[in-house]
């Protein structure tokens, strides 16, 4: 997941489909995000590379739609409904996730264990 | 550097010592050539006349008055130097040499003085001789000549004052070799005066020049030239060495105390004297009692490892093989002497601190017993004491604690009862607090703090591989030796600094908060 400027970012990703839950007037997904290109990347406890300014999942509420869909804490969100999330500000990321007219969001997330699993299966 | 000369016993004008270097140099070269045959590198002596046989800085066990405060304990001195027959012959030879040096110094001084006087009187002679010899034939010379007379008078006065300021000083040290710049200046002045006299003799005396104004102007030009030589002397002798160019590191060989000094362009002998001047007020006093590890630590020696060689006799490498085997075996064995050293050190620390606490308390208490007499107090005249009596009155209560502390820190050779009493009297007179009184004893001070005659030595030997009149260069090493220890001085050039400039606009200092926000979606 290290980022070399000018080169395309490659990662092993998992597709996660979250159906939003209606709570009163809001549609909630059940997790919290941190990170963004306007934030301080060194404070991120989940990233492997401390200069990574991507969007990370910092909390997942129990029993919420995100947990049901398989999202885990520490995941890095690469795409939301086709929109890129690796080079966005924090606010832009929030907006892309909380669009009022979307009931389902399809995320591409990556985590370190995915990469290791792929490597192990290749070697086996 | 206006220093009292500790090194010289003479009080003659240092202006005359200018050429003493030159003359002593000739004698020194002859003598040191014969001496250098026996030693490897050149070694010349910076010396004062009349050296006592046993040097002042070596510890002597018999002179201390240890019976104050406590009467039962007896401390034997640690005198580590025994004068052998060779030392005696060497020291007496040095004394003879110093006698020779003094004669040549006197000669040199008087020659330099004569030259200076000649240079000073020459312009006056130039102006007076035509008046005396052929007064009738001279053209009358009114105002311009008088103006020139006044200017000559003032310039000579300035020259006199300047020479007094620059040259008439007590010498700080006797240098082993000629002081190159001074010799150069002497030669310059001599040549100047001689050439002027030649011109004067040929052009003016022989031809009996009538133009008196021209003669006076000639004399004025000589005075100007002398003033410029004086300026050159100021620059060469005083100014050139001020800007720091080298860093000298001086390390004492006995216990590793080291200091760094910045000096300018100096010759090795002048740098040596500079180091010595700073040594006496920077380095803590040399205490031979503090050097050795306690005996208990070093008692475990390499006890007998006997090496038997089995098999064939290989006589060539037998001994080296044996010693190597012994050393290897000793290294492999568990050596616990560092353990003992550590505990010994910790124990000593504790003891010193305990004694120090007792001393501080005793002194504080003693100082509370006296106070300064105010004018308003009505006191019985019998009760009023002068500082000496006051010191004696309170000394008794702190004497024992003081003596125990000095014994523990092995400082007792440096402080006699009399010196402590004097210091106490000094502190009382100047209203010092107990802490100020104690600062002299709690830390080992520089050598110059202790009583002059006992601890200040005058004779140092300068050992150097290069001639001592060479200038300092990067990497020069020389050694200043005494009998018990030596100062090893090494030179490093101060690096050339490249300073670049960066302009910072005061309005450009702006800051933002570091964000780490977390949003729940």
């Amino acid at each position: 997941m290290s980022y070399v400027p000018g080169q395309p970012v490659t990662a092993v990703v998992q597709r996660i489909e979250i159906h939003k839950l209606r709570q009163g007037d809001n549609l909630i997904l059940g997790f919290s995000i941190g990170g963004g290109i306007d934030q301080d990347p060194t404070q991120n406890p989940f990233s492997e590379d401390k200069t990574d300014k991507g969007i990370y999942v910092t909390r997942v509420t129990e029993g919420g739609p995100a947990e049901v869909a398989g999202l885990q804490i520490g995941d890095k969100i690469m795409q939301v409904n086709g929109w890129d999330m690796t080079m966005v500000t924090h606010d832009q990321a929030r907006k892309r996730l909380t669009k009022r007219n979307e009931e389902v969001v399809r995320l591409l997330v990556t985590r370190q264990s995915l990469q290791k699993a792929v490597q192990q299966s290749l070697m086996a | 550097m206006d220093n009292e000369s500790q090194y010289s016993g003479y009080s003659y004008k240092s202006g005359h010592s200018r050429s003493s270097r030159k003359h002593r140099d000739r004698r020194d070269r002859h003598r040191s050539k014969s001496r250098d045959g026996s030693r490897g590198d050149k070694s010349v002596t910076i010396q004062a006349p009349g050296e006592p046989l046993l040097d002042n800085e070596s510890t002597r066990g018999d002179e201390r008055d240890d019976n104050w405060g406590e009467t039962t304990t007896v401390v034997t001195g640690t005198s580590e130097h025994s004068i052998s027959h060779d030392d005696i012959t060497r020291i007496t030879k040095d004394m003879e040499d110093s006698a020779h040096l003094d004669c040549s110094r006197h000669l040199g001084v008087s020659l330099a003085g004569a030259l200076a006087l000649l240079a000073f009187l020459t312009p006056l002679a130039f102006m007076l001789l035509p008046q005396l010899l052929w007064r009738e034939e001279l053209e009358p010379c009114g105002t311009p000549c008088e103006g020139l007379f006044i200017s000559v008078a003032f310039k000579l006065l300035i020259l006199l004052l300047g020479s007094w300021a620059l040259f008439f000083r007590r010498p700080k040290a006797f240098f082993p070799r000629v002081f190159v710049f001074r010799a150069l200046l002497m030669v310059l002045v001599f040549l100047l005066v001689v050439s002027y006299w030649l011109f004067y003799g040929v052009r003016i005396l022989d031809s009996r020049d009538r133009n008196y104004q021209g003669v006076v102007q000639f004399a004025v030009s000589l005075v100007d030239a002398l003033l410029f030589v004086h300026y050159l002397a100021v620059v060469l002798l005083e100014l050139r060495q001020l800007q720091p160019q080298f860093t000298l590191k001086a390390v004492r060989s006995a216990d590793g105390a080291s200091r760094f000094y910045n000096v300018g362009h100096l010759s090795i002998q002048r740098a040596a004297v500079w180091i010595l001047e700073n040594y006496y007020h920077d380095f803590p006093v040399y205490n031979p009692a503090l050097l050795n590890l306690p005996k208990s630590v070093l008692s475990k020696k390499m006890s007998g490892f006997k090496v038997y060689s089995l098999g064939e006799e290989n006589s060539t490498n037998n001994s080296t093989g044996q010693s190597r085997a012994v050393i290897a075996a000793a290294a492999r064995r568990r050596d616990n002497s560092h353990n003992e050293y550590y505990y010994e050190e910790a124990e000593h620390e504790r003891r010193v601190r305990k004694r120090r606490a007792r001393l501080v308390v005793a002194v504080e208490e003693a100082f509370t017993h006296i106070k300064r007499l105010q004018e308003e107090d009505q006191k019985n005249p019998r009760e009023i004491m002068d500082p000496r009596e006051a010191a004696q009155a309170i000394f008794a209560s702190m004497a024992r604690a003081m003596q125990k502390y000095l014994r523990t820190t092995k400082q007792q050779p440096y402080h006699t009862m009399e010196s402590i009493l004097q210091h106490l009297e000094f502190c009382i007179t100047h209203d010092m607090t107990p802490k100020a009184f104690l600062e002299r004893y709690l830390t080992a001070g520089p050598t110059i703090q202790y009583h002059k005659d006992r601890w200040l030595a005058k004779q140092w030997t300068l050992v150097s591989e290069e001639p001592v009149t060479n200038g300092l260069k990067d990497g020069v090493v020389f050694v200043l030796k005494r009998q018990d220890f030596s100062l090893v001085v090494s030179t490093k050039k101060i690096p050339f600094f490249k300073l670049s400039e960066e302009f910072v606009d005061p309005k450009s200092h702006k800051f933002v908060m570091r964000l780490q926000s977390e949003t729940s979606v």
Side-chain angles (χ1 to χ4, degrees), chain A residues 30-33 39-40 58 90, chain B residues 514-521:
Chain A
F31 63 98
S32 299
I33 54 167
Q39 305 286 312
D40 179 20
T58 55
H90 190 85
Chain B
R514 279 188 135 177
L515 302 171
Q516 332 75 294
S517 39
E518 188 187 356
T519 334
S520 57
V521 294

Side-chain angles (χ1 to χ4, degrees), chain B residues 474-521:
Chain B
D474 190 26
V476 162
V477 174
F478 57 94
V479 179
L480 284 159
K481 258 202 206 159
R482 280 194 52 78
Q483 284 163 8
D484 348 355
F485 61 93
S486 52
L487 278 176
V488 180
V489 182
S490 48
T491 322
K492 270 210 158 46
K493 195 164 165 50
I494 293 180
F496 179 75
F497 299 117
K498 288 192 195 145
L499 272 187
S500 55
E501 178 205 355
E502 186 179 327
F503 174 68
V504 173
D505 187 3
K507 288 189 247 181
S508 69
H509 297 298
K510 298 198 189 306
F511 293 91
V512 290
M513 289 290 290
R514 279 188 135 177
L515 302 171
Q516 332 75 294
S517 39
E518 188 187 356
T519 334
S520 57
V521 294

Side-chain angles (χ1 to χ4, degrees), chain B residues 21-203:
Chain B
R21 315 287 168 248
K22 191 165 76 166
H23 291 270
R24 236 178 343 111
D25 169 53
R26 278 192 226 119
R27 285 189 183 228
D28 261 354
R29 282 217 187 95
H30 290 308
R31 209 180 310 117
S32 58
K33 273 201 179 98
S34 56
R35 267 198 283 175
D36 282 348
S38 53
R39 300 185 221 171
D41 46 2
K42 288 187 205 149
S43 157
V44 289
T45 313
I46 305 176
Q47 196 182 39
E51 262 321 292
L53 208 53
L54 259 185
D55 214 293
N56 275 334
E57 278 194 12
S58 58
T59 54
R60 282 185 272 185
D62 46 352
E63 266 201 21
R64 283 168 313 146
D65 176 18
D66 237 11
N67 290 328
W68 53 276
E70 231 177 288
T71 50
T72 48
T73 52
V74 171
V75 176
T76 57
T78 55
S79 168
E80 290 154 2
H81 314 284
S82 55
I83 300 289
S84 65
H85 188 63
D86 303 21
D87 289 332
I88 290 179
T89 48
R90 185 168 51 85
I91 289 173
T92 48
K93 195 174 80 136
D94 286 344
M95 286 174 72
E96 285 167 12
D97 292 341
S98 67
H100 282 303
L101 289 172
D102 300 339
C103 285
S104 65
R105 270 191 206 116
H106 278 303
L107 193 65
V109 160
S110 47
L111 269 174
L115 184 62
L117 203 61
L118 178 70
F120 194 75
L121 292 177
T122 304
L124 300 172
F126 283 178
M127 289 190 296
L128 283 177
L129 279 177
Q131 295 277 357
L132 293 175
L133 293 180
W134 62 91
R135 168 169 273 194
E136 313 79 36
E137 302 167 1
L138 279 179
E139 296 167 2
C141 164
T143 346
C145 270
E146 282 157 18
L148 289 172
F149 286 153
I150 294 177
S151 88
V152 164
F154 273 100
K155 280 179 186 165
L156 280 179
L157 180 68
I158 290 172
L159 190 64
L160 191 66
L161 283 176
S163 305
W164 170 81
L166 192 63
F167 297 119
F168 288 14
R169 273 182 291 191
R170 286 179 159 214
K172 295 182 289 202
F174 290 160
F175 291 100
R177 301 259 177 209
V178 67
F179 197 161
V180 171
F181 285 144
R182 285 191 189 170
L184 189 74
L185 286 168
M186 291 291 307
V187 168
L188 195 63
V189 166
F190 181 69
L191 285 178
L192 186 73
V193 169
V194 161
S195 59
Y196 262 81
W197 269 109
L198 272 174
F199 269 95
Y200 189 75
V202 167
R203 293 288 170 78

Side-chain angles (χ1 to χ4, degrees), chain B residues 327-348:
Chain B
I327 292 169
R332 258 181 264 125
R333 188 183 54 158
R334 263 177 71 109
D335 184 11
N336 276 335
S337 59
H338 60 86
N339 235 354
E340 293 189 22
Y341 180 57
Y342 168 71
Y343 284 118
E344 182 82 33
E345 279 260 310
E347 181 62 34
H348 184 254

Side-chain angles (χ1 to χ4, degrees), chain B residues 339-377:
Chain B
N339 235 354
E340 293 189 22
Y341 180 57
Y342 168 71
Y343 284 118
E344 182 82 33
E345 279 260 310
E347 181 62 34
H348 184 254
E349 263 303 292
R350 212 177 56 85
R351 239 183 291 142
V352 166
R353 260 185 277 170
K354 200 167 63 162
R355 295 262 168 106
R356 179 197 176 122
R358 286 202 191 139
L359 174 65
V360 170
V361 164
V363 171
E364 296 254 355
E365 225 187 329
F367 267 67
T368 57
H369 290 315
I370 56 165
K371 73 170 176 125
R372 192 169 266 272
L373 175 69
Q374 309 294 330
E375 293 302 322
E376 313 80 60
D377 291 348

Side-chain angles (χ1 to χ4, degrees), chain B residues 450-485:
Chain B
Y450 300 101
H451 189 71
K452 238 169 135 182
D453 291 335
R454 282 201 73 184
W455 301 107
L456 293 181
K458 298 176 188 170
Q459 170 156 350
W460 289 79
T461 307
L462 174 59
V463 178
S464 145
E465 288 161 20
E466 297 185 4
V468 296
T469 49
N470 271 8
L472 283 178
K473 277 191 288 275
D474 190 26
V476 162
V477 174
F478 57 94
V479 179
L480 284 159
K481 258 202 206 159
R482 280 194 52 78
Q483 284 163 8
D484 348 355
F485 61 93

